[in-house]
Amino acid sequence: MNLNLKEIKKYYDREGYFIYKGFLKKNELSQIRSSLSDYISIKQNEGSSRNINFASKKQINSVHNMTDWKWIKKFQKNEDLLRVVKKLINDEIREFGAELFAKPAKVGLKAPLHQDNYYWCINDASALTVWIALEDSDLRNGGVYYYKKSHGLGLLEHKRSYAPGSSQTLKYPESMKHFKKTTPKLKAGDCIIHHCLVVHGSEANKSPRSRTGCTLRYISANSKIDKFLKMRYEADLKKHLKSLKK
Ligand SMILES: O=C(O)CCC(=O)C(=O)O
């Protein structure tokens, strides 16, 4: 694919995200969806845990470690994507996991406003998410929204959200009134690459269309986990998980 890396980086550095259209080929999508549906049926039987959250009794909303799905490895090997990610991180890169946000029709849960790095605790915030639309995603079915340029603020304070699967949310959401909100409209196979500090979230899916997306996470090969931030996050997560059991 003919990608203008310089232009992509310029846009991403300015806005905090970049929309990469046509990452997956149309003819691959039906194979991918059928494999995902098999994967989800297996995970459904595992029941709810720190790794898996349900939107209803039977429907998975999110899986927080899905590196065991065979397509993740294929996506991670995509040469065009790797060139873009290396350019954006501006360094050698390391894989940092993969997630599923299945967001089923009618009952899909919201992801409260957050910055990914509050969860990841990367010391220099040299990290990003590739959010891959496996179905069309937009404002109506709970597409991911962004506050443009908000990554420029650095790491913001968060508090417990009490939302299953997304334990943290911005402590001062009103600060976002200074930023322009956008919900990119994606076709299945498009993806968004977002900076780990850009503020984003998604609304509940009340529509009759499911909105499945999966993510790949990358960090700079030279980044480290900030132990203090990680301890603080893990302590909060423990309280969050305890509160969900009550
Ligand atoms: O897919 C969603 O609804 C939320 C995704 C998200 O928050 C993320 O990729 O960091």
Side-chain angles (χ1 to χ4, degrees), residues 231-244:
M231 263 165 54
R232 181 178 70 171
Y233 165 67
E234 286 292 334
D236 249 5
L237 179 64
K238 230 178 182 170
K239 287 184 197 152
H240 168 80
L241 293 171
K242 213 167 157 188
S243 76
L244 292 180

Side-chain angles (χ1 to χ4, degrees), residues 99 101 103 111 114 116 129 131 142 144 194 200-202 211 215:
E99 285 182 287
F101 293 96
K103 212 173 255 226
H114 67 281
D116 291 341
T129 294
W131 193 98
V144 184
H194 68 243
H200 64 284
S202 66
R211 192 239 57 186
T215 66

